[in-house]
């Protein structure tokens, strides 16, 4: 018995040391191939404004497409996250340069709910907590007008979230641009009037985003629209359509995505779902009335 334990321990240590040795070898090999990192001026306001525009959108006048795969979970203030569904989220934003060196954007976004980690569009969703079947309320919102400058995003009065930039920095050959935003406001869906839809007297929302791109691409003067990796998490009060009134907790979302050269880069199953559920997103620049998801839901329903 003792010999068996010693043998297993030696095998474990041998495997651990082997992994560590390979890791060290890999580090040396990686370092030997390293090339000088192009420089970016993160202290100059004009340079920072262009960097933000390049990574988040474009420094020239064009329509930018951004796609996120958003996995949404329920959290009940105890236990583990409970998978709810996946949202295929598409953002369309028109970028243009301003005379003051900043950049103007006018955009809208939509989200199609699918069976968790698939592109199988949901018409009806069975709530794993209440076990009630709920008709899915598709997400669509905009137009949203913003101005991108050296120190972040300035939104118009219609925007609920006011992003706050965190430190922009270079790590290795990557540029990282994080932001955060928080919201707390009286809930228009009051528990007294909307007992089944309300998440409580106060509605909360927290969103944390980071954009990352190769420094060489951002530093290239010939590149106006950088292929960036985008990732965010959000933590929010229950949406009314979930029917979670009276249940403590919130939804947690984790998304990852990138900008696209065109809609042709979307998976066909994703594009098919968007065309079926939220086709008006493609004409958002001609909308006469802004779309606000929560208000749209309220106007389409009556209190329970």
């Amino acid at each position: 018995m003792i010999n068996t334990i010693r043998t297993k321990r030696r095998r474990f240590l041998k495997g651990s040391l082997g992994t560590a040795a390979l890791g060290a070898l890999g580090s040396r090999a990686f370092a030997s191939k390293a090339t000088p990192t192009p420089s970016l001026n993160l202290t100059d306001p004009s340079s920072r404004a262009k960097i933000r525009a390049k990574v988040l959108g474009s420094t020239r006048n064009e329509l930018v497409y951004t796609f996120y795969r958003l996995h949404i979970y329920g959290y009940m203030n105890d236990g583990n996250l409970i998978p709810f569904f996946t949202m295929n989220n598409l953002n369309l934003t028109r970028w243009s340069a301003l005379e003051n060196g900043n950049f103007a954007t006018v955009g809208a976004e939509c989200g199609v709910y699918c069976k968790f980690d698939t592109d199988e569009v949901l018409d009806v969703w069975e709530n794993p907590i209440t076990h009630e079947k709920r008709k899915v309320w598709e997400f669509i919102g905009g137009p949203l007008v913003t101005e991108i400058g050296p120190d972040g995003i300035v939104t118009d009065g219609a925007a609920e979230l006011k992003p706050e930039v965190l430190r922009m920095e270079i790590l290795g050959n990557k540029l990282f641009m994080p932001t955060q935003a928080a919201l707390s406001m009286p809930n228009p869906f009051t528990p007294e009037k909307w007992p089944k839809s309300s998440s409580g007297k106060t509605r909360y929302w927290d969103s944390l985003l980071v954009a990352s791109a190769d420094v060489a691409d951002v530093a290239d003067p010939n590149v106006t629209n950088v292929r960036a990796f985008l990732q965010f998490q959000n933590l929010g009060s229950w949406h009314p359509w979930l029917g979670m009134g009276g249940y403590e907790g919130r939804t947690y979302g984790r998304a990852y995505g990138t900008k696209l050269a065109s809609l042709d880069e979307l998976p066909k199953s994703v594009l098919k779902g968007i065309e079926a559920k939220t086709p008006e997103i493609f004409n958002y620049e001609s909308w006469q009335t802004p779309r606000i998801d929560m208000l749209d839901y309220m106007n389409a329903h009556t209190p329970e």
Side-chain angles (χ1 to χ4, degrees):
M1 178 67 175
I2 294 176
N3 289 336
T4 301
I5 294 173
R6 286 174 177 169
T7 300
K8 289 181 178 179
R9 182 173 180 273
R10 282 197 297 271
R11 288 175 179 171
F12 175 78
L13 291 173
K14 182 179 179 181
S16 300
L17 290 171
T19 302
L22 286 173
L25 179 61
S27 298
R28 289 195 295 272
F30 182 79
S32 67
K33 297 178 181 178
T35 57
T37 301
S39 61
L40 288 175
N41 188 346
L42 302 184
T43 60
D44 176 66
S46 175
S47 176
R48 286 204 310 277
K50 288 181 180 179
I51 289 171
R52 292 191 186 282
K54 273 190 178 188
V55 175
L56 296 176
S58 177
T59 57
R60 66 185 176 92
N61 298 355
E62 66 173 315
L63 185 63
V64 176
Y65 304 92
T66 305
F67 174 71
Y68 290 99
R69 188 85 70 185
L70 172 60
H71 299 309
I72 300 176
Y73 306 78
Y75 180 64
M76 306 298 293
N77 295 339
D78 191 19
N80 294 114
L81 296 173
I82 302 169
F84 273 12
F85 31 62
T86 290
M87 175 190 281
N88 288 331
N89 178 272
L90 178 66
N91 180 291
L92 283 70
T93 299
R94 178 75 61 183
W95 286 73
S96 58
L98 298 173
E99 292 183 358
N100 63 2
N102 292 349
F103 299 85
T105 74
V106 181
E109 62 177 332
C110 67
V112 175
Y113 291 96
C114 300
K115 184 178 178 181
F116 190 83
D117 199 27
T118 77
D119 294 331
E120 182 183 331
V121 175
L122 290 171
D123 294 313
V124 176
W125 172 68
E126 183 174 347
N127 188 319
I129 297 167
T130 66
H131 302 292
E132 179 187 16
K133 291 185 177 180
R134 305 284 296 182
K135 186 179 185 303
V136 172
W137 180 259
E138 308 300 344
F139 169 72
I140 191 163
L144 175 64
V145 178
T146 71
E147 183 173 332
I148 310 297
D151 298 314
I153 303 171
V154 178
T155 57
D156 68 2
E160 291 186 322
L161 289 176
K162 308 296 182 184
E164 174 189 349
V165 299
L166 301 178
R167 178 174 37 164
M168 182 192 300
E169 62 181 335
I170 296 172
L171 299 173
N173 66 345
K174 299 289 185 184
L175 172 74
F176 291 89
M177 287 175 23
T179 64
Q180 64 182 20
L183 164 76
S184 61
M185 63 177 292
N187 193 348
F189 291 84
T190 62
E192 296 78 17
K193 191 174 181 179
W194 301 83
K196 196 167 187 175
S197 302
S198 178
S199 59
K201 293 184 179 298
T202 304
R203 186 163 71 90
Y204 298 98
W205 190 264
D206 290 272
S207 185
L208 308 167
L209 179 144
V210 63
S212 177
D214 288 345
V215 172
D217 291 338
V218 181
D220 189 338
N222 298 314
V223 176
T224 58
N225 182 338
V226 174
R227 277 299 180 103
F229 172 74
L230 303 162
Q231 195 268 352
F232 70 81
Q233 300 92 31
N234 54 43
L235 184 68
S237 298
W238 305 122
H239 193 290
W241 82 261
L242 301 178
M244 290 291 288
Y247 286 86
E248 293 291 331
R250 299 185 192 182
T251 53
Y252 170 82
R254 183 184 73 115
Y256 45 89
T258 187
K259 291 185 292 180
L260 308 173
S262 72
L263 292 176
D264 293 336
E265 293 188 340
L266 275 177
K268 291 182 179 179
S269 55
V270 171
L271 184 57
K272 182 179 178 181
I274 293 173
E275 290 174 336
K277 293 297 183 180
T278 56
E280 61 267 43
I281 189 66
F282 302 114
N283 300 313
Y284 84 91
E285 290 178 284
S286 65
W287 291 357
Q288 298 300 310
T289 304
R291 299 288 304 273
I292 301 175
D293 176 58
M294 297 280 284
L295 293 183
D296 285 351
Y297 184 88
M298 178 177 283
N299 292 334
H301 295 79
T302 55
E304 300 89 346

